[in-house]
């Protein structure tokens, strides 16, 4: 190898170590960047062999790679819409909210922008499957990114729900006299979300027997306005000697009774003056021979009364959006102030056969390549796809101790290569001096 060839080899070493130092510098700078994937440097030797004489010139080529498939540590966040993927896969994102090119990222620093879209710290919008009212994916082909829409949590309106089930947990006073009657109130909602009040009348008809009747509903805001016609009452109730509910029977207009299954009691309300459709409500008064629901025990008061512990019903008025929650399956749910919770989106996880083959757009965002393979849209937690952790972020995969070690090695190699050049220069100077 000639002196000139030695200088060329040393120069290639300087260039290679410069590239390694650039990789180290980028990693250190992004040690706190959410979802950042660290880079490394591969060194490959090369030899030029001439055809005229047996002379070989050695050198080095440096190439940078990014360890995209590495899992960063998951750290908690105070922002509920921040997300981290625990396992394989990427979020699907785009720089546009419509007709944009999709990209893939592990940077889950999503927050709501002024238009209600979820975007991360790099300005990419999160995409997901829109869900129907029943919680199923609206799109036909879930396997294509064309089935995805930008996730937007603004302008989501609450919907009313008509009461379809009603339950009562109460004690009827066994020390009441036959003929004593007591009243309690229950709230229910029609299909338009209007609140109504129903007055229940409890009359003791004999030893261990009671009759439950109900008045037509009235507006909860105006008790003088009757709003519908109720049917399904009266109901005759019998209790065991230990105070547990024994059986029930419906009472016809002529006074005849028909045994009824306690688990199948119901009533209807028709003719709503609010314009709502008719209501059919399952009535849960408890289980036979059990202390849940209705019981008949002594009140212990000089003036007995019906003691209502709890009443339940599943209807509600239209609510206002108070926030969102994200499950580990990637389902985004809207939460309303009326207690309604509704699934609105599902965030897919995109997986690749060779994630390390993706092309870097930034240190946290990537695009598909032939080397990476075709993307697969999966439900979070399904097969190869990781799960979604809400209120968390994936930290950078940079390990500073490793970077400092690499820096020391690069610095020493760079110094050594530079010494080769200075030595070669001294040798060249000696040759020139000999000629003089």
């Amino acid at each position: 190898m000639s002196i000139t060839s030695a200088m060329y080899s040393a120069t290639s070493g300087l260039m290679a170590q410069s590239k390694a130092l650039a990789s180290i510098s980028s990693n250190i700078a992004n040690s706190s960047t959410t979802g950042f994937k660290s880079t490394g440097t591969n060194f490959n030797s090369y030899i030029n062999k001439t055809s005229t004489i047996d002379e070989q010139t050695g050198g080095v080529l440096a190439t940078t790679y990014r360890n995209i498939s590495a899992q960063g540590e998951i750290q908690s966040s105070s922002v509920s819409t921040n997300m981290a993927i625990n396992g394989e896969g990427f979020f699907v994102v785009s720089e546009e909210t419509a007709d944009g090119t999709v990209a893939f990222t592990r940077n889950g620093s999503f927050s709501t922008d002024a238009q209600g879209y979820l975007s991360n710290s790099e300005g990419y919008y999160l995409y997901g499957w829109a869900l129907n009212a029943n919680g199923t994916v609206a799109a036909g082909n879930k396997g294509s990114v064309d089935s995805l829409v930008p996730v937007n949590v603004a302008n989501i309106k609450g919907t009313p729900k008509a009461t379809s089930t009603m339950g009562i947990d109460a004690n009827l006073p066994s020390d009441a006299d036959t003929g004593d009657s007591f009243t309690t109130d229950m709230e229910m909602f029609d299909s338009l979300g209007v609140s109504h009040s129903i007055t229940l009348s409890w009359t003791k008809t004999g030893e261990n027997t009671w009759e439950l009747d109900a008045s037509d509903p009235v507006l909860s805001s105006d008790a003088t306005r009757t709003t519908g016609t109720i049917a399904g009452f009266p109901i005759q109730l019998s209790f065991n000697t230990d105070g547990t509910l024994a059986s029930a029977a419906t009472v016809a207009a002529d006074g005849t009774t028909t045994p009824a299954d306690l688990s199948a009691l119901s009533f209807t309300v028709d003719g709503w003056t609010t314009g709502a459709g008719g209501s059919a409500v399952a009535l849960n008064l408890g289980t036979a021979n059990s202390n849940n629901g209705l019981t008949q025990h002594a009140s212990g008061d000089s003036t007995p009364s019906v003691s209502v512990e709890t009443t339940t019903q599943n209807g509600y008025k239209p609510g206002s959006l108070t926030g969102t929650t994200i499950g580990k399956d990637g389902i985004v749910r809207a939460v309303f102030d009326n207690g309604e919770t509704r699934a609105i989106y599902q965030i897919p996880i995109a997986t690749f056969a060779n994630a390390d083959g993706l092309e870097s757009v930034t240190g946290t965002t990537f695009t598909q390549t032939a080397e990476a393979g075709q993307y697969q849209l999966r439900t979070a937690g399904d097969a190869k796809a990781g799960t979604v952790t809400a209120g968390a972020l994936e930290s950078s995969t940079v390990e500073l101790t490793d970077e400092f070690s690499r820096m020391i090695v690069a610095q020493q190699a760079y110094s050594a290569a530079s010494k080769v050049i200075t030595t070669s220069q001294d040798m060249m100077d000696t040759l020139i001096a000999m000629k003089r």
Side-chain angles (χ1 to χ4, degrees):
M1 178 185 294
S2 67
I3 296 175
T4 303
S5 297
M7 294 180 68
Y8 286 143
S9 295
T11 300
S12 71
L14 292 175
M15 295 175 63
Q17 296 305 327
S18 295
K19 183 170 288 188
L21 190 61
S23 167
I24 295 166
S25 176
S26 174
N27 287 344
I28 293 175
N30 286 281
S31 59
S32 298
T33 301
T34 299
F36 182 81
K37 302 303 177 183
S38 63
T39 60
T41 307
N42 283 328
F43 298 93
N44 299 299
S45 63
Y46 71 88
I47 296 176
N48 291 333
K49 185 174 182 179
T50 65
S51 59
T52 56
I53 58 175
D54 188 14
E55 180 183 4
Q56 293 183 339
T57 302
V60 64
L61 290 175
T63 56
T64 301
Y65 65 91
R66 191 179 297 278
N67 192 5
I68 300 173
S69 60
Q71 171 77 54
E73 182 181 350
I74 295 178
Q75 299 179 337
S76 62
S77 167
S78 60
V79 181
S80 62
T81 52
N82 284 174
M83 287 173 276
I85 299 174
N86 187 9
E88 294 186 35
F90 301 83
F91 298 113
V92 181
V93 294
S94 176
E95 291 184 291
E96 307 293 337
T97 58
D99 303 322
T101 302
V102 298
F104 307 92
T105 187
R106 301 273 295 194
N107 181 358
S109 58
F110 298 106
S111 59
T112 307
D113 68 7
Q115 287 74 43
Y117 293 102
L118 291 186
S119 60
N120 67 11
S121 58
E122 293 185 314
Y124 283 87
Y125 296 99
L126 177 65
Y127 273 62
W129 290 305
L131 301 182
N132 292 318
N134 60 1
T136 59
V137 175
N141 182 13
K142 291 177 57 179
S144 169
V145 292
D146 292 336
S147 66
L148 305 178
V149 296
V151 176
N152 189 305
V153 295
N155 301 320
I156 298 175
K157 297 180 179 179
T159 56
K161 181 180 180 180
T163 299
S164 60
T165 62
M166 184 178 289
I168 306 170
D169 188 350
N171 180 66
L172 308 183
S174 62
D175 47 355
D177 295 330
T178 299
D180 284 352
S181 185
F182 310 91
T183 60
T184 60
D185 294 319
M186 288 276 299
E187 182 184 35
M188 70 173 294
F189 292 88
D190 63 27
S191 60
L192 298 179
V194 179
S195 174
H196 307 267
S197 180
I198 296 175
T199 298
L200 302 178
S201 300
W202 310 86
T203 303
K204 187 172 184 179
T205 56
E207 184 177 351
N208 296 331
T209 60
W210 292 76
E211 185 175 274
L212 170 62
D213 205 350
S215 64
D216 288 334
V218 297
L219 279 179
S220 295
S221 59
D222 184 358
T224 64
R225 292 180 57 185
T226 301
T227 52
T229 303
I230 198 167
F233 294 95
I235 299 173
Q236 187 181 86
L237 302 171
S238 299
F239 291 85
N240 297 311
T241 55
D242 61 358
T244 58
L245 186 60
S247 61
T250 57
V251 182
D254 60 2
T256 58
T257 60
T258 303
D261 187 347
L262 279 170
S263 62
L265 294 175
S266 64
F267 66 91
T268 60
V269 179
D270 292 308
W272 289 114
T273 60
T274 59
S279 298
V281 182
L283 183 61
N284 180 14
L285 299 180
T287 307
N289 307 315
S290 174
N291 280 315
N292 68 319
L294 294 181
T295 58
Q296 183 196 235
H297 298 138
S299 66
D301 297 329
S302 57
T303 304
S305 63
V306 173
S307 175
V308 178
E309 296 295 330
T310 59
T311 60
T312 59
Q313 60 88 32
N314 65 343
Y316 43 73
K317 64 182 179 180
S320 299
L321 183 69
T322 58
T324 57
T325 63
I326 302 172
K328 63 188 301 184
D329 54 1
I331 293 180
V332 182
R333 291 179 172 84
V335 180
F336 301 88
D337 60 2
N338 61 357
E340 178 191 6
T341 300
R342 187 167 77 244
I344 51 177
Y345 295 99
Q346 184 164 23
I347 300 167
I349 302 298
T351 61
F352 296 86
N354 175 28
D356 290 329
L358 293 170
E359 181 177 349
S360 298
V361 179
T362 68
T364 65
T365 305
F366 314 95
T367 55
Q368 179 178 291
T369 64
E371 185 181 355
Q374 178 66 28
Y375 66 81
Q376 299 291 328
L377 296 183
R378 304 177 186 271
T379 301
D382 177 32
K384 292 178 62 179
T387 57
V388 174
T389 303
L393 292 171
E394 182 180 357
S395 60
S396 170
T397 58
V398 173
E399 179 55 58
L400 289 177
T401 55
D402 291 341
E403 300 305 320
F404 289 140
S405 298
R406 290 178 60 203
M407 186 186 302
I408 293 172
V409 172
Q411 181 183 20
Q412 291 177 337
Y414 191 93
S415 297
S418 65
K419 186 63 176 177
V420 171
I421 292 178
T422 57
T423 302
S424 298
Q425 180 63 48
D426 290 341
M427 294 173 67
M428 292 291 289
D429 291 341
T430 300
L431 286 175
I432 295 173
M434 288 174 62
K435 181 178 180 182
R436 293 176 182 170

